[in-house]
Amino acid sequence: MIINNIDYIEKDTNFDPPSDVRCFLLMYGLIDCNNFYASCERVFNPSLIGKPIVVLSNNDGCVIARSAEAKKLGIPMGEPAYKLKDLIESNQVYVFSSNYVLYGDMSHRVMNTIAEHVPNMEIYSIDEAFLLLEGFENIDLKSYGEKLVKTVGKNTGIPVSLGVAPTKTLAKVANKFAKKYKAYNGATIIDTEEKREKALKLTEIGDVWGIGRKYSKKLQYHSVNTAWDFAQRPKKWVRQLMGVVGERTWMELNGTPCFEMETPSAKKSICTSRSFGERLTELAPISEAVANFAASCAEKLRKQHSYGCVLTVFIHTNPHATNQPQYYNHSVMQLSVPTNDSTEMIYVALRGLKSIFKEGYRYKKAGVIVSEIVPERPLQGDLFDTRDRDKFNKIMTVMDSLNGSYGKQKVKIAAQGFDRKWKLKNEKLSPCFTTNLKDVLEIKAEDELPL
DNA sequence: TCTGGGGTCCTAGGACCC
DNA sequence: TCTGGGGTCCTAGGACCC
């Protein structure tokens, strides 16, 4: 029985695990890319197949993706790269700086392929999509799923896995099985009560979607070690310990959908922030960085046809350097008129930065956050607004279109500067195979050097 | 020396009003 | 003067996700 009705869920607070036989009218799928960033690096460099690969975060900080081989070596997710130096060298692990242009483009290819075969999908992240499988009663979901997985792999070179179940959370569970056991051929379906029970019993509580580190610890303290233990607890108990959020996860694990398919909506906040490649002590280079972050926020706003009303700037020192003086501050500014104009945002952001910048610290990171985001129209004017908004709108449109055709940052505001002292460290960047022919040709030329 | 970046949602508590 | 409760709005912080 599927109860796809939020009102019912709200009212019946004593709903306990159902034990009746189910008939699923509607199933959710979760398809995601295996070791996505590592797989992307591999697509254009087949010599890496079978080799351990790790991809590092911005500034080559810590590990954010690992190939299966790297996982096998015991390289943990999130580990700082410097701690892994020996392990990397002794095992000849291939290390890459993150190349988001490449990953973004590969993501498009994967998503487009899925969209060609599934009518209703929701892109959930760069490497994941939920599918809504409606009207599949007479179709063998297992072979349908296997076929989809195979097609995506063939068309894009990226290996993917699919989990199918009556709720999104259960689809996530199913997906883990598809990944873990090769014999599933990339697709696992949870469509009977027996499979659900077995899957939940084999799933650690911390691996459940929606249960993070903190709750995982809390639950284990109460002897809840598996997803099944959790699903068997009374609903009231879960509500008390974890609030409505935990209650929804509980319902979903028990087969009642609480998370519907979502359509993409405009962001409610937009943030651009970076750690600097080197520590900065002067206002000038930090200003340049902040100007760039503000410009990037404005560009993101224009892309989603929104204006921002509030702008926050923050800076801080390195919290890990406990032997050095620490400083963290932020400044919140209300914009007189909602805007997505780069020049205006830069101006306001720099004013904010000036108000919080203090001499005598080694700054590590800064960022700009835009909040209270509203749709582009209707615009509420300010009586005392003297800015020629039409003119600046036109300038922004021209700038975006030039940058769209000739490449990022070909045209920018003077304050964004050219020094780039704040720039990221990414020493192990792969070429942008999919978007930059020049990079690819250069690599080829090098490859041909025999000695 | 070296530890990412960008989001969302929920809750508790305070201020304020009637 | 004192006492009371309910409602709303805002904010900071906590938890989670990828």
Side-chain angles (χ1 to χ4, degrees), chain A residues 400-432:
Chain A
D400 287 340
S401 111
L402 286 174
N403 287 336
S405 329
Y406 297 104
K408 273 190 171 213
Q409 301 237 337
K410 284 288 182 288
V411 184
K412 57 183 175 181
I413 314 300
Q416 289 178 252
F418 294 94
D419 278 358
R420 295 181 74 86
K421 267 202 184 129
W422 52 278
K423 74 177 187 302
L424 299 174
K425 210 168 75 185
N426 52 7
E427 290 165 349
K428 318 211 150 131
L429 196 64
S430 57
C432 289

Side-chain angles (χ1 to χ4, degrees), chain A residues 202-358:
Chain A
L202 288 169
T203 300
E204 280 174 39
I205 188 61
D207 288 338
V208 173
W209 187 45
I211 302 202
R213 245 188 23 251
K214 296 269 168 120
Y215 280 134
S216 185
K217 235 182 167 176
K218 233 183 196 178
L219 287 165
Q220 278 167 25
Y221 171 80
H222 291 283
S223 308
V224 172
N225 295 305
T226 66
W228 180 252
D229 296 340
F230 180 72
Q232 288 303 110
R233 289 291 165 116
K235 185 175 170 182
K236 266 189 181 164
W237 182 86
V238 172
R239 171 69 181 241
Q240 217 174 8
L241 195 76
M242 306 170 65
V244 288
V245 180
E247 190 178 329
R248 279 184 204 138
T249 298
W250 182 92
M251 305 259 322
E252 285 244 324
L253 286 176
N254 279 311
T256 305
C258 295
F259 307 122
E260 309 286 322
M261 295 295 277
E262 281 173 29
T263 42
S265 54
K267 299 254 175 290
K268 292 165 187 168
S269 72
I270 284 174
C271 171
T272 304
S273 76
R274 295 283 182 282
S275 295
F276 307 130
E278 53 188 272
R279 301 294 164 271
L280 299 178
T281 54
E282 311 281 314
L283 179 60
I286 301 179
S287 295
E288 196 178 297
V290 164
N292 277 281
F293 302 158
S296 151
C297 284
E299 201 183 318
K300 291 177 191 171
L301 279 172
R302 294 197 294 274
K303 222 171 226 167
Q304 67 163 40
H305 303 288
S306 303
Y307 292 126
C309 302
V310 171
L311 195 150
T312 304
V313 180
F314 68 86
I315 44 173
H316 62 80
T317 49
N318 181 5
H320 299 290
T322 43
N323 55 340
Q324 285 174 15
Q326 296 287 318
Y327 178 65
Y328 177 101
N329 206 349
H330 71 281
S331 153
V332 183
M333 284 149 296
Q334 182 83 39
L335 297 154
S336 58
V337 175
T339 185
N340 58 18
D341 176 345
S342 292
T343 56
E344 200 175 3
M345 293 228 153
I346 289 172
Y347 175 78
V348 175
L350 290 181
R351 216 181 52 203
L353 173 66
K354 238 182 213 164
S355 74
I356 54 173
F357 177 83
K358 271 209 261 181

Side-chain angles (χ1 to χ4, degrees), chain A residues 20-286:
Chain A
D20 54 328
V21 179
R22 291 134 189 265
C23 151
F24 302 116
L25 303 170
L26 185 148
M27 297 282 267
Y28 291 90
L30 177 76
I31 189 161
D32 80 343
C33 305
N34 305 345
N35 316 319
F36 182 52
Y37 297 166
S39 299
C40 288
E41 297 293 349
R42 226 170 231 172
V43 169
F44 296 94
N45 192 347
S47 68
L48 294 172
I49 291 171
K51 307 266 169 64
I53 302 175
V54 298
V55 178
L56 304 179
S57 60
N58 279 334
N59 280 317
D60 296 343
C62 47
V63 173
I64 53 169
R66 308 155 295 161
S67 71
E69 298 78 11
K71 286 177 188 170
K72 234 178 243 165
L73 289 174
I75 297 175
M77 190 74 163
E79 187 80 344
Y82 73 90
K83 284 190 182 171
L84 292 168
K85 227 177 145 224
D86 293 344
L87 195 61
I88 285 171
E89 272 171 20
S90 58
N91 291 285
Q92 301 188 1
V93 179
Y94 290 78
V95 179
F96 292 92
S97 304
S98 34
N99 182 346
Y100 288 105
V101 177
L102 174 66
Y103 310 151
D105 190 62
M106 289 311 293
S107 174
H108 277 133
R109 296 184 186 195
V110 169
M111 299 304 171
N112 287 341
T113 307
I114 298 170
E116 279 169 25
H117 297 90
V118 183
N120 193 340
M121 72 183 282
E122 169 199 335
I123 297 174
Y124 178 67
S125 73
I126 192 162
D127 73 331
E128 277 178 64
F130 282 107
L131 318 175
L132 184 69
L133 305 172
E134 228 173 340
F136 279 62
E137 290 85 8
N138 300 316
I139 292 173
D140 177 8
L141 279 175
K142 175 76 175 137
S143 56
Y144 169 85
E146 284 180 21
K147 218 166 129 189
L148 180 62
V149 165
K150 219 172 161 182
T151 306
V152 175
K154 213 174 79 188
N155 289 10
T156 66
I158 300 287
V160 299
S161 307
L162 171 67
V164 176
T167 69
K168 282 185 167 180
T169 308
L170 285 172
K172 280 262 189 187
V173 170
N175 181 281
K176 295 230 163 158
F177 282 84
K179 275 224 168 73
K180 197 167 165 188
Y181 302 97
K182 276 213 159 134
Y184 285 119
N185 286 325
T188 307
I189 323 288
I190 296 178
D191 57 353
T192 67
E193 192 50 32
E194 295 70 46
K195 285 188 200 168
R196 185 180 75 92
E197 182 173 335
K198 211 172 164 191
L200 295 191
K201 282 182 173 167
L202 288 169
T203 300
E204 280 174 39
I205 188 61
D207 288 338
V208 173
W209 187 45
I211 302 202
R213 245 188 23 251
K214 296 269 168 120
Y215 280 134
S216 185
K217 235 182 167 176
K218 233 183 196 178
L219 287 165
Q220 278 167 25
Y221 171 80
H222 291 283
S223 308
V224 172
N225 295 305
T226 66
W228 180 252
D229 296 340
F230 180 72
Q232 288 303 110
R233 289 291 165 116
K235 185 175 170 182
K236 266 189 181 164
W237 182 86
V238 172
R239 171 69 181 241
Q240 217 174 8
L241 195 76
M242 306 170 65
V244 288
V245 180
E247 190 178 329
R248 279 184 204 138
T249 298
W250 182 92
M251 305 259 322
E252 285 244 324
L253 286 176
N254 279 311
T256 305
C258 295
F259 307 122
E260 309 286 322
M261 295 295 277
E262 281 173 29
T263 42
S265 54
K267 299 254 175 290
K268 292 165 187 168
S269 72
I270 284 174
C271 171
T272 304
S273 76
R274 295 283 182 282
S275 295
F276 307 130
E278 53 188 272
R279 301 294 164 271
L280 299 178
T281 54
E282 311 281 314
L283 179 60
I286 301 179

Side-chain angles (χ1 to χ4, degrees), chain A residues 376-443:
Chain A
E376 224 162 30
R377 264 163 229 291
L379 199 157
Q380 190 144 48
D382 178 336
L383 278 182
F384 304 101
D385 184 23
T386 51
R387 197 176 170 82
D388 184 351
R389 293 188 180 274
D390 265 352
K391 187 179 98 188
F392 279 98
N393 267 341
K394 279 176 198 151
I395 295 174
M396 289 301 120
T397 308
V398 172
M399 193 169 86
D400 287 340
S401 111
L402 286 174
N403 287 336
S405 329
Y406 297 104
K408 273 190 171 213
Q409 301 237 337
K410 284 288 182 288
V411 184
K412 57 183 175 181
I413 314 300
Q416 289 178 252
F418 294 94
D419 278 358
R420 295 181 74 86
K421 267 202 184 129
W422 52 278
K423 74 177 187 302
L424 299 174
K425 210 168 75 185
N426 52 7
E427 290 165 349
K428 318 211 150 131
L429 196 64
S430 57
C432 289
F433 297 104
T434 56
T435 50
N436 193 338
L437 189 60
K438 194 170 139 267
D439 276 351
V440 178
L441 292 176
E442 273 170 14
I443 263 282

